[in-house]
Short mmCIF file of all heavy atoms in Angstrom, two decimals:
data_model
loop_
_atom_site.label_atom_id
_atom_site.label_comp_id
_atom_site.label_asym_id
_atom_site.label_seq_id
_atom_site.Cartn_x
_atom_site.Cartn_y
_atom_site.Cartn_z
N LEU A 1 104.49 261.68 40.85
CA LEU A 1 104.88 262.46 39.69
C LEU A 1 104.98 261.60 38.44
O LEU A 1 104.64 262.05 37.35
CB LEU A 1 106.23 263.14 39.97
CG LEU A 1 106.22 264.19 41.08
CD1 LEU A 1 107.62 264.72 41.34
CD2 LEU A 1 105.28 265.35 40.73
N ALA A 2 105.43 260.37 38.60
CA ALA A 2 105.55 259.48 37.44
C ALA A 2 104.18 259.17 36.88
O ALA A 2 104.01 259.09 35.66
CB ALA A 2 106.29 258.20 37.83
N LYS A 3 103.18 258.97 37.76
CA LYS A 3 101.83 258.72 37.27
C LYS A 3 101.31 259.93 36.49
O LYS A 3 100.65 259.79 35.47
CB LYS A 3 100.90 258.41 38.44
CG LYS A 3 101.05 257.00 38.99
CD LYS A 3 100.57 255.99 37.99
CE LYS A 3 100.75 254.57 38.54
NZ LYS A 3 100.33 253.56 37.55
N ALA A 4 101.65 261.11 36.99
CA ALA A 4 101.21 262.32 36.29
C ALA A 4 101.88 262.42 34.92
O ALA A 4 101.30 262.93 33.96
CB ALA A 4 101.54 263.56 37.12
N ASP A 5 103.14 261.90 34.83
CA ASP A 5 103.87 261.96 33.56
C ASP A 5 103.68 260.70 32.71
O ASP A 5 104.20 260.60 31.62
CB ASP A 5 105.38 262.12 33.84
CG ASP A 5 105.75 263.57 34.11
OD1 ASP A 5 104.87 264.42 33.91
OD2 ASP A 5 106.88 263.81 34.51
N GLY A 6 102.99 259.69 33.31
CA GLY A 6 102.75 258.47 32.56
C GLY A 6 103.88 257.47 32.60
O GLY A 6 103.98 256.61 31.74
N ARG A 7 104.78 257.56 33.58
CA ARG A 7 105.87 256.60 33.68
C ARG A 7 106.28 256.48 35.13
O ARG A 7 105.99 257.32 35.96
CB ARG A 7 107.05 257.00 32.80
CG ARG A 7 107.74 258.25 33.31
CD ARG A 7 108.90 258.65 32.41
NE ARG A 7 109.30 260.00 32.73
CZ ARG A 7 108.71 261.07 32.24
NH1 ARG A 7 107.70 260.95 31.41
NH2 ARG A 7 109.09 262.28 32.59
N LEU A 8 107.03 255.44 35.43
CA LEU A 8 107.53 255.20 36.76
C LEU A 8 108.97 254.72 36.63
O LEU A 8 109.23 253.68 36.03
CB LEU A 8 106.70 254.14 37.49
CG LEU A 8 107.10 253.85 38.94
CD1 LEU A 8 106.94 255.09 39.79
CD2 LEU A 8 106.27 252.71 39.51
N THR A 9 109.92 255.47 37.16
CA THR A 9 111.33 255.09 37.08
C THR A 9 111.85 254.78 38.45
O THR A 9 111.42 255.34 39.44
CB THR A 9 112.16 256.24 36.47
OG1 THR A 9 111.97 257.40 37.23
CG2 THR A 9 111.76 256.50 35.04
N GLY A 10 112.83 253.88 38.51
CA GLY A 10 113.37 253.46 39.80
C GLY A 10 114.50 254.34 40.26
O GLY A 10 114.58 254.71 41.43
N CYS A 11 115.40 254.70 39.35
CA CYS A 11 116.53 255.55 39.72
C CYS A 11 116.48 256.76 38.80
O CYS A 11 116.75 256.65 37.59
CB CYS A 11 117.85 254.79 39.55
SG CYS A 11 119.29 255.67 40.16
N GLU A 12 116.10 257.91 39.32
CA GLU A 12 115.80 259.06 38.48
C GLU A 12 117.04 259.66 37.83
O GLU A 12 116.97 260.20 36.75
CB GLU A 12 115.10 260.12 39.31
CG GLU A 12 113.80 259.67 39.93
CD GLU A 12 112.64 259.79 39.00
OE1 GLU A 12 112.79 260.42 37.95
OE2 GLU A 12 111.58 259.24 39.32
N LEU A 13 118.16 259.60 38.51
CA LEU A 13 119.41 260.08 37.93
C LEU A 13 120.44 258.96 38.03
O LEU A 13 120.36 258.11 38.90
CB LEU A 13 119.93 261.30 38.70
CG LEU A 13 118.99 262.50 38.78
CD1 LEU A 13 119.66 263.59 39.61
CD2 LEU A 13 118.64 263.02 37.42
N LYS A 14 121.40 258.93 37.15
CA LYS A 14 122.39 257.86 37.19
C LYS A 14 123.78 258.43 36.95
O LYS A 14 123.95 259.49 36.34
CB LYS A 14 122.08 256.80 36.13
CG LYS A 14 122.21 257.31 34.69
CD LYS A 14 121.98 256.18 33.69
CE LYS A 14 122.18 256.66 32.28
NZ LYS A 14 122.00 255.55 31.31
N PRO A 15 124.85 257.72 37.40
CA PRO A 15 126.22 258.19 37.13
C PRO A 15 126.49 258.18 35.64
O PRO A 15 126.02 257.31 34.91
CB PRO A 15 127.08 257.15 37.87
CG PRO A 15 126.16 256.43 38.79
CD PRO A 15 124.81 256.51 38.17
N ALA A 16 127.29 259.15 35.17
CA ALA A 16 127.67 259.17 33.77
C ALA A 16 128.59 258.01 33.44
O ALA A 16 128.60 257.50 32.32
CB ALA A 16 128.36 260.49 33.43
N SER A 17 129.38 257.56 34.39
CA SER A 17 130.31 256.46 34.20
C SER A 17 129.61 255.14 34.46
O SER A 17 128.58 255.07 35.11
CB SER A 17 131.50 256.61 35.14
OG SER A 17 132.25 255.42 35.18
N ASP A 18 130.19 254.05 33.93
CA ASP A 18 129.66 252.72 34.23
C ASP A 18 130.02 252.25 35.62
O ASP A 18 129.51 251.26 36.09
CB ASP A 18 130.19 251.69 33.20
CG ASP A 18 129.58 251.93 31.83
OD1 ASP A 18 128.48 252.49 31.77
OD2 ASP A 18 130.24 251.56 30.85
N SER A 19 130.91 252.93 36.29
CA SER A 19 131.34 252.52 37.62
C SER A 19 131.21 253.68 38.56
O SER A 19 131.53 254.81 38.22
CB SER A 19 132.79 252.02 37.58
OG SER A 19 133.26 251.80 38.89
N VAL A 20 130.73 253.41 39.76
CA VAL A 20 130.59 254.49 40.73
C VAL A 20 131.93 254.91 41.30
O VAL A 20 132.14 256.06 41.65
CB VAL A 20 129.63 254.07 41.87
CG1 VAL A 20 130.24 252.97 42.71
CG2 VAL A 20 129.28 255.25 42.74
N ALA A 21 132.84 253.97 41.42
CA ALA A 21 134.14 254.28 42.03
C ALA A 21 134.90 255.27 41.15
O ALA A 21 135.14 255.05 39.97
CB ALA A 21 134.96 253.00 42.20
N GLY A 22 135.30 256.37 41.72
CA GLY A 22 136.10 257.37 41.01
C GLY A 22 135.31 258.25 40.08
O GLY A 22 135.88 259.07 39.39
N ALA A 23 133.99 258.08 40.06
CA ALA A 23 133.20 258.88 39.12
C ALA A 23 131.96 259.43 39.77
O ALA A 23 131.00 259.73 39.10
CB ALA A 23 132.83 258.03 37.91
N THR A 24 131.99 259.58 41.08
CA THR A 24 130.77 259.94 41.78
C THR A 24 130.40 261.41 41.62
O THR A 24 129.34 261.80 42.06
CB THR A 24 130.93 259.64 43.28
OG1 THR A 24 132.11 260.29 43.76
CG2 THR A 24 131.03 258.15 43.50
N SER A 25 131.25 262.21 41.01
CA SER A 25 130.92 263.62 40.89
C SER A 25 130.37 263.98 39.51
O SER A 25 130.07 265.13 39.25
CB SER A 25 132.15 264.49 41.18
OG SER A 25 133.18 264.20 40.26
N GLU A 26 130.25 263.01 38.58
CA GLU A 26 129.72 263.29 37.25
C GLU A 26 128.39 262.57 37.07
O GLU A 26 128.32 261.34 37.18
CB GLU A 26 130.69 262.82 36.16
CG GLU A 26 131.98 263.64 36.11
CD GLU A 26 132.81 263.21 34.93
OE1 GLU A 26 132.23 263.15 33.82
OE2 GLU A 26 133.99 262.96 35.11
N PHE A 27 127.35 263.33 36.75
CA PHE A 27 126.02 262.73 36.63
C PHE A 27 125.31 263.29 35.42
O PHE A 27 125.54 264.44 35.02
CB PHE A 27 125.19 263.00 37.90
CG PHE A 27 125.77 262.36 39.12
CD1 PHE A 27 126.74 263.02 39.85
CD2 PHE A 27 125.38 261.10 39.50
CE1 PHE A 27 127.30 262.42 40.96
CE2 PHE A 27 125.94 260.50 40.61
CZ PHE A 27 126.89 261.16 41.35
N THR A 28 124.46 262.47 34.81
CA THR A 28 123.63 262.92 33.71
C THR A 28 122.19 262.66 34.06
O THR A 28 121.86 261.73 34.79
CB THR A 28 123.98 262.19 32.41
OG1 THR A 28 123.87 260.79 32.63
CG2 THR A 28 125.39 262.53 31.97
N LEU A 29 121.32 263.43 33.50
CA LEU A 29 119.90 263.31 33.79
C LEU A 29 119.29 262.15 33.01
O LEU A 29 119.54 261.98 31.83
CB LEU A 29 119.17 264.61 33.43
CG LEU A 29 117.68 264.69 33.70
CD1 LEU A 29 117.43 264.60 35.19
CD2 LEU A 29 117.10 265.96 33.13
N LYS A 30 118.51 261.35 33.70
CA LYS A 30 117.75 260.26 33.08
C LYS A 30 116.27 260.59 33.24
O LYS A 30 115.78 260.69 34.34
CB LYS A 30 118.06 258.93 33.74
CG LYS A 30 117.24 257.75 33.19
CD LYS A 30 117.52 256.52 33.99
CE LYS A 30 116.69 255.35 33.52
NZ LYS A 30 116.90 254.16 34.36
N GLY A 31 115.58 260.79 32.14
CA GLY A 31 114.18 261.18 32.24
C GLY A 31 114.01 262.59 31.72
O GLY A 31 114.90 263.17 31.11
N THR A 32 112.84 263.18 31.96
CA THR A 32 112.56 264.51 31.48
C THR A 32 112.04 265.36 32.61
O THR A 32 111.83 264.89 33.71
CB THR A 32 111.50 264.46 30.36
OG1 THR A 32 110.30 263.91 30.90
CG2 THR A 32 111.95 263.61 29.19
N LEU A 33 111.86 266.62 32.34
CA LEU A 33 111.31 267.50 33.36
C LEU A 33 109.96 266.97 33.83
O LEU A 33 109.18 266.46 33.05
CB LEU A 33 111.14 268.92 32.80
CG LEU A 33 112.46 269.67 32.53
CD1 LEU A 33 112.15 271.01 31.90
CD2 LEU A 33 113.25 269.86 33.81
N GLY A 34 109.72 267.12 35.11
CA GLY A 34 108.50 266.60 35.70
C GLY A 34 108.77 265.41 36.60
O GLY A 34 108.01 265.13 37.49
N THR A 35 109.88 264.69 36.38
CA THR A 35 110.25 263.61 37.29
C THR A 35 110.85 264.22 38.54
O THR A 35 111.35 265.35 38.53
CB THR A 35 111.25 262.64 36.66
OG1 THR A 35 112.47 263.33 36.43
CG2 THR A 35 110.72 262.08 35.35
N LEU A 36 110.83 263.45 39.61
CA LEU A 36 111.37 263.95 40.87
C LEU A 36 112.85 264.28 40.75
O LEU A 36 113.34 265.27 41.31
CB LEU A 36 111.14 262.90 41.96
CG LEU A 36 111.36 263.35 43.40
CD1 LEU A 36 110.41 264.48 43.76
CD2 LEU A 36 111.15 262.19 44.36
N GLY A 37 113.58 263.46 40.00
CA GLY A 37 115.00 263.73 39.83
C GLY A 37 115.27 265.07 39.16
O GLY A 37 116.19 265.79 39.54
N ALA A 38 114.44 265.42 38.18
CA ALA A 38 114.62 266.68 37.50
C ALA A 38 114.33 267.86 38.43
O ALA A 38 115.00 268.90 38.37
CB ALA A 38 113.73 266.74 36.26
N LEU A 39 113.34 267.72 39.28
CA LEU A 39 112.99 268.79 40.19
C LEU A 39 114.15 269.15 41.11
O LEU A 39 114.36 270.32 41.44
CB LEU A 39 111.78 268.40 41.03
CG LEU A 39 110.44 268.28 40.31
CD1 LEU A 39 109.37 267.82 41.27
CD2 LEU A 39 110.03 269.60 39.67
N PHE A 40 114.93 268.15 41.52
CA PHE A 40 116.02 268.38 42.45
C PHE A 40 117.38 268.32 41.77
O PHE A 40 118.42 268.24 42.44
CB PHE A 40 115.97 267.34 43.58
CG PHE A 40 114.70 267.37 44.37
CD1 PHE A 40 114.08 266.20 44.76
CD2 PHE A 40 114.10 268.58 44.70
CE1 PHE A 40 112.91 266.21 45.50
CE2 PHE A 40 112.92 268.61 45.42
CZ PHE A 40 112.32 267.44 45.82
N SER A 41 117.41 268.36 40.44
CA SER A 41 118.67 268.29 39.70
C SER A 41 119.58 269.44 40.07
O SER A 41 119.17 270.59 40.19
CB SER A 41 118.39 268.32 38.19
OG SER A 41 119.58 268.25 37.46
N GLY A 42 120.86 269.12 40.25
CA GLY A 42 121.84 270.11 40.67
C GLY A 42 122.04 270.15 42.16
O GLY A 42 123.07 270.63 42.63
N LEU A 43 121.09 269.65 42.88
CA LEU A 43 121.19 269.60 44.35
C LEU A 43 121.40 268.17 44.81
O LEU A 43 122.27 267.88 45.65
CB LEU A 43 119.94 270.19 44.99
CG LEU A 43 119.90 270.21 46.51
CD1 LEU A 43 120.95 271.14 47.06
CD2 LEU A 43 118.51 270.63 46.99
N VAL A 44 120.61 267.26 44.24
CA VAL A 44 120.69 265.84 44.56
C VAL A 44 121.19 265.10 43.34
O VAL A 44 120.73 265.35 42.23
CB VAL A 44 119.31 265.30 45.00
CG1 VAL A 44 119.35 263.81 45.19
CG2 VAL A 44 118.85 266.00 46.27
N ASP A 45 122.15 264.20 43.51
CA ASP A 45 122.74 263.50 42.38
C ASP A 45 121.92 262.30 41.94
O ASP A 45 122.02 261.89 40.78
CB ASP A 45 124.15 263.02 42.75
CG ASP A 45 125.09 264.21 43.01
OD1 ASP A 45 125.23 265.03 42.08
OD2 ASP A 45 125.63 264.32 44.11
#
């Protein structure tokens, strides 16, 4: 999918916080529609 979009990302979604501890339920999207993370957004963090 990244080749189709012209980019390759390692971690499609990331925690909103700088630390995973205590913040594992808040996530923001990194990238745009068309990446694998966006396809599964809301289901996979």
Side-chain angles (χ1 to χ4, degrees):
L1 294 176
K3 283 292 179 182
D5 278 351
R7 68 181 166 277
L8 183 62
T9 57
C11 187
E12 300 276 349
L13 303 179
K14 66 176 183 178
S17 166
D18 290 334
S19 172
V20 68
T24 54
S25 61
E26 292 186 49
F27 296 86
T28 56
L29 182 65
K30 177 185 178 184
T32 61
L33 290 176
T35 66
L36 193 61
L39 291 177
F40 300 139
S41 180
L43 180 65
V44 174
D45 296 302

